[in-house]
């Protein structure tokens, strides 16, 4: 513990040596030693790294042209590769592809420029006050009024105008700053829009609403997950009166970009952009699991200190992320969300639920105003989500089943034709065929309900024809003559 | 109930009383640097803005008693009130900070006082702090105005510079001494007429030396 304390007390002052790490952060003694380790490893891993980059380049195609197709065909490969980490040289582009911000950018030419140049925001002073306090130890953002700080200001101001209900919230700066290290101002702006308003999905939607209701919900969910996955630690937290708002609110508000080592932040963001907010829960749980045996022994103050200063080991993405992915949280999060809402709306609901009431109406208004003011973005999102979904009309998984409805139609047309014309063999084959396809549609990922419905219908129709055929051939009438005799 | 107990010992760290104190005020007035100046004697020109809450402690002497101050530093932005106001509960002291170079941060002091009166204990000791006095040429809030306001509202008042380390210790010490004064007086009065515990109980300053967690009941926030 003591050793850790020493390391954390070192503050990167502005007058310390100007050498920077490979991400552009001004080096402290701590990161120097880390860099040494990286170097000795790098020759060994360089070949592998190059192979990885080649694979990724092939996957995304020139300028990202093949990305969507690849994602649809091989969602599992994409997921696996993202979890291994996106190559740093492609990160900026891939982040835009995963989040869908590229499409927003292309659909809204000139919008960003207008927001930056012509609009004014009521949050301007607030933003300015935080500019120099965002990644102050990074060379890009260090220079007063330098290009980094100006870009940061522009992006944050533009967003505060674009989404006036949210405006500017402390913490957004770290997200914008992180993005600006990998892409242009305009790209970063649309990526923030994609995060908060949605393109492919909206992993941060509602997070910055007044009252931060989602953060409070997440903290509730996180506390319960800790108790469930690590009962001993959960019990210890209760005894020591530690609650997640003391250490985890910034995990959710900035998605680990506020106070964690940069290599970890990047790897978390790779996965977060693809898999969504559950990743924050998983990584949070992994941090606690990693330090579990130390944490359960500590009293209040030391405990809180440790929860804000994790050891270097724990924040190594190669060690941390596998633990994170071992937590299955998705279905549980949904249950906990329901429970949380019930609590808020329950008879004993206190001021907190009152707080939420105006929020609801506000968020409704937000959606409305979004559609009105940015109709091309707002209306496009829902439709786009369908169009671009892995079973959407851009894929064979959509048109295949549509064509198969032809079987059903043909079968229906034949309903009134004389049963003698039915080929028993062909109808039986159709029954088996549709049965197999129903199983396929059910088992395939993602589950193809359109195909399932189509073949269930066809199965019904064909079974009916088969029964008519059987009746005509006399297979089903055996008992009737006996009865007549 | 406030009571004096034997010195608590925990990991070699002894104290007679544990006081929970909150740092509040507009964003960017220097709360975090006041805290680091008081607890670690450091100041950082390029510190990050606070997201959520931060926490630090320092043990100090007041009239021969060892007092441990447990200080919660809160994010200043309006949007964070829902999270930070939970930390007011159970606090026995509050340092309400404004920036002497920014008049709006002083104007907002009224709103912060209302926050405290809505969420904190009625007997909380409040110190109004005008920070950044080192920026002499930029001053826009006169010390007299602030002092007058503090007097009307019944607050302590001091001007500080976290950068030059001026009055920072004094600010914290004054608050801690006042809390101690109230606590010891209360302990005295309740021991004088043990039947009239109502007065002592009504004054909900929660200080307990025996149990380090006793004074910070608001740790369990009602989320």
């Amino acid at each position: 513990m003591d050793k850790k304390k020493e390391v954390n007390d070192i503050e990167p002052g502005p007058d310390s040596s100007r050498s920077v790490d490979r991400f552009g952060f001004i080096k402290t003694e701590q990161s120097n030693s880390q860099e040494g380790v990286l170097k000795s490893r790098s020759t060994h891993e360089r070949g592998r790294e190059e192979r990885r980059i080649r694979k990724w380049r092939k996957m995304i195609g020139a300028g990202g042209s093949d990305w969507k197709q690849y994602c649809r065909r091989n969602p599992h490969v994409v997921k696996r590769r993202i979890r291994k980490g996106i190559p740093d040289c492609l990160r900026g582009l891939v982040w835009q592809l995963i989040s869908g911000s590229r499409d927003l950018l292309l659909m809204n030419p000139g919008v960003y420029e207008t927001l930056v140049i012509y609009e004014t925001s009521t949050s301007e002073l607030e933003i300015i006050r935080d500019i120099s306090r965002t990644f102050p130890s990074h060379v890009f953002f260090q220079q007063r009024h330098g290009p980094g700080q100006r870009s940061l200001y522009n992006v944050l101001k533009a967003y505060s105008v674009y989404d006036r209900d949210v405006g500017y919230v402390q913490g957004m700066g770290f997200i914008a700053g992180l993005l600006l290290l990998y892409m242009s101002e305009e790209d970063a702006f649309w990526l923030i829009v994609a995060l908060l308003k949605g393109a492919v999905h909206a992993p941060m939607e509602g997070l910055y609403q007044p009252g931060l209701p989602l953060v409070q919900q997440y903290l509730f969910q996180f506390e319960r997950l800790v108790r469930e996955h690590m009962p001993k630690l959960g019990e210890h937290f209760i005894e020591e009166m530690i609650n997640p708002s003391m250490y985890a609110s910034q995990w959710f508000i900035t998605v680990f970009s506020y106070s964690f080592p940069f290599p970890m932040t990047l790897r978390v963001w790779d996965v977060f952009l693809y898999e969504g907010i559950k990743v924050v829960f998983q990584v949070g749980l992994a941090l606690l699991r990693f330090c579990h045996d130390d944490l359960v022994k500590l009293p209040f103050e030391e405990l809180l200190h440790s929860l804000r200063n994790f050891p270097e080991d724990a924040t190594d993405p190669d060690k941390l992320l596998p633990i994170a992915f071992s937590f299955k949280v998705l279905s549980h999060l949904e249950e906990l969300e329901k429970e949380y809402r019930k609590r808020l709306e329950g008879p004993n609901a206190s001021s907190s639920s009152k707080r939420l009431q105006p929020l609801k109406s506000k968020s409704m208004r937000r959606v409305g105003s979004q559609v009105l003011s940015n109709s091309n973005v707002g209306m496009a999102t829902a439709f786009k989500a369908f169009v671009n979904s892995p079973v959407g009309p851009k894929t064979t998984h959509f048109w295949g089943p549509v064509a198969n409805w032809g079987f059903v139609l043909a079968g229906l047309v034949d309903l009134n034709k004389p049963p003698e014309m039915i080929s028993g063999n062909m109808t039986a084959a159709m029954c088996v065929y549709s049965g197999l396809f129903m199983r396929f549609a059910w088992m395939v990922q993602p589950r193809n309900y359109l195909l399932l419905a189509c073949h269930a219908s066809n199965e019904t129709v064909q079974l009916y024809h088969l029964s008519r055929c059987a009746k005509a051939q006399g297979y089903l009438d055996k008992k009737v003559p006996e009865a007549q005799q | 109930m406030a009571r004096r107990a034997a010195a608590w010992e925990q990991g070699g760290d002894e104290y007679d009383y544990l006081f929970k104190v909150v740092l509040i005020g507009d964003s960017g007035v220097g709360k975090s640097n006041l805290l680091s100046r008081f607890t670690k004697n450091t100041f950082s020109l390029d510190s990050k803005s606070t997201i959520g809450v931060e926490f630090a402690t320092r043990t100090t002497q007041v009239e021969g008693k060892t007092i441990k101050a447990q200080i919660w530093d809160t994010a200043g932005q309006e949007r964070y009130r829902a999270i930070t106001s939970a930390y007011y509960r159970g606090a026995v002291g509050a340092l309400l900070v404004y920036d002497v170079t920014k008049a709006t941060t002083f104007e907002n002091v009224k709103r912060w006082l209302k926050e405290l009166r809505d969420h904190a204990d009625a007997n909380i000791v409040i110190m109004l702090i005008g920070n950044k006095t080192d920026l002499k040429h930029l001053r826009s809030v006169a010390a007299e105005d602030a002092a007058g306001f503090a007097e009307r509202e019944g607050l302590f008042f001091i001007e500080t510079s976290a950068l030059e380390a001026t009055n920072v210790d004094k600010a914290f010490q004054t608050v801690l001494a006042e809390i101690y004064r109230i606590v010891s007086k209360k302990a005295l009065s309740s021991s004088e007429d043990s039947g009239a515990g109502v007065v002592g109980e009504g004054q909900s300053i929660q200080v307990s030396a025996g149990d380090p967690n006793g004074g910070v009941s608001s740790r369990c926030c009602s989320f």
Side-chain angles (χ1 to χ4, degrees), chain A residues 170 208 243 245 258 308, chain B residues 27 48 53 79-80 87 219:
Chain A
Q170 284 187 325
Y208 296 128
N243 82 59
S245 82
Y258 178 67
R308 295 178 152 276
Chain B
S27 174
K48 290 186 213 168
V53 290
R79 198 68 55 103
Y80 282 86
Y87 288 80
R219 268 194 222 152

Side-chain angles (χ1 to χ4, degrees), chain A residues 11-12 14 126 129-130 133 136 142 165-166 168-171 174 208-212 215-216 220 239-241 243 245-246 249-250 253 258-259 299-301 304 308 355, chain B residues 10 13 18 27-28 40 42-55 57 68 70 72 75-77 79-80 82-83 87 102 213 216-221 223:
Chain A
E11 287 200 4
E126 273 181 289
R129 200 167 38 221
D130 284 340
R133 303 197 288 162
Q142 215 182 25
D165 285 328
V166 166
Y168 167 71
V169 180
Q170 284 187 325
F174 290 90
Y208 296 128
Q209 291 293 310
L212 303 176
V215 176
Q216 304 205 30
F220 168 83
E239 276 165 19
E240 292 295 324
M241 295 200 210
N243 82 59
S245 82
M246 293 171 182
S249 36
Q250 41 122 327
I253 291 168
Y258 178 67
S259 59
F300 180 75
E301 270 167 41
L304 204 52
R308 295 178 152 276
R355 267 206 305 269
Chain B
Q10 186 184 6
D13 136 66
L18 178 78
S27 174
K40 294 187 283 188
T42 58
F43 179 92
S44 169
L45 268 176
D46 53 359
S47 58
K48 290 186 213 168
S49 38
T50 307
I51 307 290
V53 290
E54 297 283 340
F55 169 81
T57 61
K68 182 164 198 171
Q70 195 179 66
W72 293 91
Q77 206 192 15
R79 198 68 55 103
Y80 282 86
I83 288 180
Y87 288 80
K102 290 204 176 70
N213 298 332
V216 281
S217 62
S218 75
R219 268 194 222 152
C220 42
C221 312
F223 293 148

Side-chain angles (χ1 to χ4, degrees), chain B residues 107-165:
Chain B
E107 286 152 22
N108 285 336
V109 163
K110 282 191 201 103
R111 285 164 65 191
W112 283 108
L113 271 180
K114 191 176 174 306
E115 277 284 306
L116 276 177
R117 291 187 173 142
D118 287 350
H119 297 279
D121 294 331
N123 296 296
I124 190 168
V125 176
I126 304 170
M127 165 73 88
L128 181 66
I129 295 181
N131 191 33
K132 305 196 187 178
T133 55
D134 48 281
L135 301 170
K136 292 183 185 72
H137 55 297
L138 294 174
R139 178 189 279 272
S140 65
V141 181
E144 298 77 43
D145 295 349
F149 174 82
E151 207 183 322
R152 282 195 301 281
E153 297 285 341
L155 320 172
F156 289 86
F157 171 67
I158 199 167
E159 285 195 335
T160 59
S161 162
L163 185 135
E164 291 172 345

Side-chain angles (χ1 to χ4, degrees), chain A residues 125-279:
Chain A
L125 285 175
E126 273 181 289
I127 296 170
I128 290 170
R129 200 167 38 221
D130 284 340
I131 288 296
S132 63
R133 303 197 288 162
T134 308
F135 292 125
S137 60
H138 195 283
V139 276
F140 186 53
F141 298 112
Q142 215 182 25
Q143 192 196 341
R144 210 171 167 73
H145 309 302
Q149 293 201 357
R150 256 179 307 171
S151 298
L152 194 56
Y153 172 77
N154 287 343
V155 171
L156 293 171
K157 192 204 98 175
Y159 191 80
S160 72
V161 178
Y162 180 83
D163 185 355
R164 287 189 194 268
D165 285 328
V166 166
Y168 167 71
V169 180
Q170 284 187 325
M172 278 180 169
F174 290 90
I175 289 168
L178 170 70
L179 300 178
L180 282 170
L181 295 177
Y182 283 91
M183 59 194 79
S184 75
E185 266 180 41
E186 191 173 8
D187 293 338
F189 169 78
W190 288 110
L191 212 155
I192 295 176
V193 174
L195 287 171
L196 286 159
K197 294 263 191 187
V200 177
H201 58 162
M204 295 178 89
E205 190 172 20
L207 194 69
Y208 296 128
Q209 291 293 310
L212 303 176
L214 255 192
V215 176
Q216 304 205 30
Q217 178 197 316
Y218 291 158
L219 293 173
F220 168 83
Q221 289 169 306
F222 187 73
E223 188 170 32
R224 297 289 296 272
L225 285 177
V226 172
R227 268 187 235 167
E228 230 131 287
H229 289 279
M230 288 161 267
K232 202 173 159 194
L233 187 62
E235 193 62 31
H236 186 59
F237 279 164
I238 295 171
E239 276 165 19
E240 292 295 324
M241 295 200 210
I242 294 270
N243 82 59
S245 82
M246 293 171 182
Y247 58 93
S249 36
Q250 41 122 327
W251 296 357
F252 290 103
I253 291 168
T254 68
V255 191
F256 294 103
S257 63
Y258 178 67
S259 59
F260 284 89
F262 209 60
M264 169 182 155
T265 303
L266 292 172
R267 290 284 300 277
V268 171
W269 270 76
D270 290 347
V271 190
F272 165 70
L273 287 171
Y274 194 66
E275 299 186 33
I277 195 76
K278 70 160 187 171
V279 172

Side-chain angles (χ1 to χ4, degrees), chain A residues 49-71 73-74 77-78 81 87 89-90 93-94 97:
Chain A
E49 181 69 19
E50 272 169 16
R51 276 198 303 279
R52 271 187 58 227
I53 293 173
R54 250 182 307 196
K55 269 194 219 164
W56 270 89
R57 280 195 197 286
K58 209 178 140 206
M59 189 158 78
I60 58 182
S65 54
D66 298 341
W67 171 259
K68 278 182 192 161
Q69 207 181 2
Y70 198 97
C71 276
R73 280 193 191 152
N74 309 294
V77 178
V78 173
R81 284 193 184 158
C89 58
L90 299 173
L93 175 62
V94 175
L97 295 172

